[in-house]
Amino acid sequence: HAVHAELDCVPRLLVAKFSAESDVSFEEAAFTTVGAVVMHGVRLAEVKLGDVIGVIGLGLLGQIAVQILKAAGCRVIGTDLVPERAALAMRMGADAVSSSAREFHDLCLQHSSGQGADAVLITAQSESNEPVNLAAQVARDRAAVVAVGSVGMDLSRRHYFEKELNFRVSRSYGPGRYDAAYEQKGRDYPIGYIPWTETRNMKAVLNLLEEKKLNVKPLVSHRFSIDQATAAYELISGSSTSYLGILLLYPEKSDQRQTL
């Protein structure tokens, strides 16, 4: 149901509502589902107030992760191979950033009194196994490593075994995903057992947008009208041009929709 269209029919549990009085724009709301993907990864990491969290990969998911983690009261150390993305994460609230794996390792130790990160979120996209093994190196004993992005997962047994690390793969944006009874038939999970479903994660992202604790405006690198959608996908799939968040825009109408 995540389609690009002016009008769309969406099952009720795949809709997160915000009030007409809200000042969240359609452009900002377009980030809701992507934000919920990050939100679910953060929940899987079981972060706590004051935790030191490493974020590997500072693309669109990583930039959102930095802000959600800061809103949760964490200290955030980020890394990305692209210096400009690392610099943007610093402006978005990260406590320290680096474009060097060695420096990232040192920063995680420096900000954790030499213990290592309490959890590491991998928000990179790469076929390489380097992100998961870098995460193991910077994590403290018995920390959680959560793969939110699509990365190679040939784990270094020595690092994961010696620290008894907990490696988790984040499945999209929360409980309910891929469950036809939930998504298609609208059978919600009891909040006492499953407090954070995909719907409630989306609502939590909207709340952060409303409260100005999540700022997605600096994450929009390109805008294309819907009749130029092919160019937008070409930019993602084959161009060497740097990009981050890309918005597809529809003609100005009273029922205008903008989708990410």
Side-chain angles (χ1 to χ4, degrees):
H1 296 280
V3 299
H4 296 298
E6 291 182 86
L7 295 174
D8 194 12
C9 181
V10 181
R12 68 180 186 88
L13 289 181
L14 297 183
V15 175
K17 301 177 182 179
F18 58 95
S19 67
E21 294 75 27
S22 172
D23 63 353
V24 176
S25 68
F26 281 123
E27 283 201 2
E28 292 172 300
F31 285 81
T32 300
T33 300
V34 175
V37 170
V38 178
M39 184 73 75
H40 182 52
V42 170
R43 297 196 193 286
L44 286 180
E46 299 180 357
V47 304
K48 300 176 182 65
L49 184 68
D51 277 356
V52 175
I53 311 298
V55 178
I56 299 176
L58 296 171
L60 188 57
L61 295 180
Q63 299 291 340
I64 295 173
V66 167
Q67 296 183 66
I68 290 177
L69 289 166
K70 290 304 296 181
C74 299
R75 284 176 288 168
V76 183
I77 316 301
T79 185
D80 195 282
L81 295 175
V82 180
E84 291 78 11
R85 290 184 174 182
L88 176 59
M90 197 71 183
R91 296 197 298 273
M92 293 293 98
D95 294 274
V97 297
S98 173
S99 294
S100 157
R102 179 70 257 177
E103 185 180 2
F104 176 63
H105 177 274
D106 293 343
L107 286 171
C108 288
L109 293 178
Q110 177 185 329
H111 285 263
S112 62
S113 301
Q115 300 301 311
D118 297 292
V120 183
L121 291 184
I122 304 172
T123 49
Q125 179 177 350
S126 172
E127 295 181 0
S128 169
N129 302 305
E130 291 183 12
V132 294
N133 292 321
L134 175 60
Q137 294 171 36
V138 305
R140 66 160 169 78
D141 190 62
R142 292 178 174 81
V145 175
V146 180
V148 181
S150 176
V151 292
M153 291 190 287
D154 186 3
L155 308 182
S156 167
R157 185 181 186 279
R158 180 173 69 85
H159 287 106
Y160 278 85
F161 173 79
E162 289 178 354
K163 293 183 179 178
E164 199 172 359
L165 298 175
N166 192 331
F167 182 75
R168 302 167 184 173
V169 178
S170 179
R171 185 175 66 180
S172 198
Y173 44 110
R177 187 70 178 109
Y178 304 113
D179 181 350
Y182 180 95
E183 294 190 326
Q184 304 297 327
K185 299 180 180 179
R187 296 176 185 169
D188 201 355
Y189 301 147
I191 194 168
Y193 293 94
I194 311 292
W196 292 108
T197 61
E198 57 181 313
T199 314
R200 293 192 272 268
N201 277 334
M202 289 193 292
K203 178 59 178 173
V205 172
L206 282 174
N207 288 342
L208 289 177
L209 288 168
E210 288 182 311
E211 296 165 3
K212 309 304 180 186
K213 294 178 180 178
L214 176 58
N215 181 11
V216 296
K217 292 179 181 178
L219 309 185
V220 178
S221 61
H222 295 80
R223 292 175 175 83
F224 290 88
S225 64
I226 188 62
D227 57 1
Q228 295 177 316
T230 301
Y233 283 98
E234 287 175 351
L235 172 64
I236 294 172
S237 61
S239 172
S240 59
T241 303
S242 177
Y243 66 89
L244 201 57
I246 299 176
L247 287 172
L248 297 182
L249 308 178
Y250 289 87
E252 294 286 343
K253 295 179 182 179
S254 60
D255 62 344
Q256 179 184 6
R257 297 294 184 267
Q258 300 182 9
T259 59
L260 180 66

